[in-house]
Amino acid sequence: MTRAVCPGSFDPVTYGHLDIFRRTAGLFDELVVATGTNISKSRLFDPEERLEMLREACAGIPNVTVMGFTGLIVDFCREIDAHAIVKGLRGGNDYEYELPMAQMNAHLTGIETIFVPTTASLGYVSSSLVKEVASLGGDVSEFVTPAVHERLTAKLAARR
Ligand code: PNS
């Protein structure tokens, strides 16, 4: 049984993430999409909300399981017996950010990271930009599912 983990903050999940999940899920028996916490990023949604949005968004993708994790990603991978970490790359900046993490994780436990290039038409989509555009009144409905869009709109309205 081959199991891979695709970790991220997913604050919130976008069609860019879903593209990576769909294209990667078929490469393994199981893809675990795992929402964790990046301590250097501020978050809009709490962990339970991010999990709920991920579960709704991934419901139709075969082989995908959604889980939350705390602590080190390598420990989580060991706990669930995952063989690889999957990360989507939009471009050079993502590579610069992801490479040291992949190397550190390989050093810690020997786990390999597989980089998957984002579909070109989604290369500019990120959770951060979606939040910024939405918070300034822009239309982000083409970048997230209707359920995520609804939650994002409600969350931003509650913050005003
Ligand atoms: O959405 P992000 O910022 O790419 O998600 C990053 C995340 C949460 C996957 C990463 O920060 C992570 O793996 N955090 C868990 C803690 C950890 O293992 N840190 C050391 C990484 S080398």
Side-chain angles (χ1 to χ4, degrees):
M1 162 112 178
T2 55
R3 179 180 287 128
V5 172
C6 188
S9 305
F10 307 120
D11 184 48
V13 61
T14 69
Y15 283 136
H17 298 128
L18 289 166
D19 168 60
I20 296 292
F21 305 158
R22 283 200 190 92
R23 288 167 47 224
T24 312
L27 304 176
F28 305 94
D29 294 321
E30 184 182 18
L31 179 70
V32 176
V33 173
T35 176
T37 296
N38 182 338
I39 52 175
S40 54
K41 280 186 185 171
S42 62
R43 285 163 298 282
L44 181 61
F45 293 98
D46 66 36
E48 197 49 44
E49 291 173 309
R50 286 185 273 136
L51 261 181
E52 285 169 8
M53 287 187 282
L54 272 175
R55 290 208 168 106
E56 287 164 3
C58 294
I61 314 177
N63 303 347
V64 169
T65 307
V66 174
M67 298 175 80
F69 76 98
T70 53
L72 287 175
I73 185 62
V74 289
D75 289 338
F76 176 72
C77 289
R78 212 161 15 198
E79 274 164 36
I80 66 163
D81 196 24
H83 306 96
I85 294 171
V86 169
K87 288 293 189 97
L89 290 187
R90 287 164 299 198
N93 285 347
D94 280 355
Y95 180 73
E96 296 291 333
Y97 170 68
E98 296 291 347
L99 181 63
M101 289 202 284
Q103 290 168 326
M104 175 60 82
N105 288 332
H107 177 79
L108 290 173
T109 64
I111 195 160
E112 297 294 355
T113 296
I114 297 167
F115 292 135
V116 178
T118 307
T119 295
S121 59
L122 293 167
Y124 62 96
V125 179
S126 68
S127 301
S128 309
L129 274 185
V130 163
K131 285 182 287 190
E132 182 176 333
V133 171
S135 70
L136 295 171
D139 179 7
V140 295
S141 57
E142 66 186 288
F143 307 124
V144 294
T145 65
V148 169
H149 189 249
E150 205 172 298
R151 281 180 188 252
L152 185 56
T153 306
K155 177 72 81 175
L156 292 171
R159 292 211 155 186
R160 274 187 207 113

